[in-house]
Amino acid sequence: MKTPFILFLTLVLSSFVSPIFAKEPQNLEVIRTKLVKYHDSGEYQNDQAKVINQAMLYLKNRIANNAKSHKSVKMAIVMDIDETSLSNYDDMVRLRFGGTLEEIKQDEDKANDPAIKSSLELYRYAKKNNIAVFFISGRKENSRAPTTKNLNDAGYVNFDGLILRPENYSEKSIVPFKTSARTSVEKQGYTIVLNLGDQESDMKGNHADKSFKLPNPYYFIP
Ligand SMILES: [Mg+2]
């Protein structure tokens, strides 16, 4: 009888000790392992495909309705670039999900990021159906040449516009830039029927009929 009592006492005492650590965040290495597993297991790509499938169904409906409508509009879709159209995953792993802004820009300027497969399918579907596609990205204007090359090499050919963050942009959030970029697309006479991005900040600010958010547990852009 003695042993169970000691065990009971130990449990009671430990219950007084453990709350000290109750708010300890998860170990960074454990989180890194989960991030890699999410990608390598294919779950990440499946989650991306689920969102894109919804976007595709929605776009098909919009195209069909627009064709039937007496007031048909000139339709466009907006796509973000990083973790939406192109994947930086290999670079992120090499930088252990960190890195300085300079290191990240150097990687982007290598212009060798692969396409996110399901996004490329959406892009091709839109272009085939005469929907204009505009890329709006927080990448800076001085990355225009490598970004254009990368998009083209990855299969995003004949896009209708590439709007990049101005060099002198000083807002803390990307939302004002992305919103004004969508407004500039509307001023060209387009109705933005669909907006695709991977950040909450891609979703804010209206000027798109419907927004679809892809998963991205790897970084956060305010
Ligand atoms: Mg992005």
Side-chain angles (χ1 to χ4, degrees), residues 80-85 178 197-199 202 216 219 221:
D80 168 60
I81 295 180
D82 294 296
E83 274 48 72
T84 297
S85 303
K178 290 218 162 181
D198 62 285
Q199 299 285 319
D202 293 332
N216 184 358
Y219 55 84
I221 296 176

Side-chain angles (χ1 to χ4, degrees), residues 57-91:
L57 279 174
Y58 164 78
L59 186 60
K60 281 180 184 172
N61 265 324
R62 285 301 299 258
I63 292 170
N65 289 338
N66 198 46
K68 279 185 266 173
S69 172
H70 297 299
K71 291 179 185 173
S72 64
V73 293
K74 197 164 88 162
M75 294 197 286
I77 69 171
V78 163
M79 295 174 76
D80 168 60
I81 295 180
D82 294 296
E83 274 48 72
T84 297
S85 303
L86 300 175
S87 170
N88 295 284
Y89 183 77
D90 291 344
D91 297 325

Side-chain angles (χ1 to χ4, degrees), residues 34-45 89 93 218:
K34 285 183 178 178
L35 292 175
V36 170
K37 196 180 164 207
Y38 182 51
H39 176 275
D40 291 357
S41 66
E43 265 182 274
Y44 177 41
Q45 296 83 341
Y89 183 77
V93 169
Y218 300 106

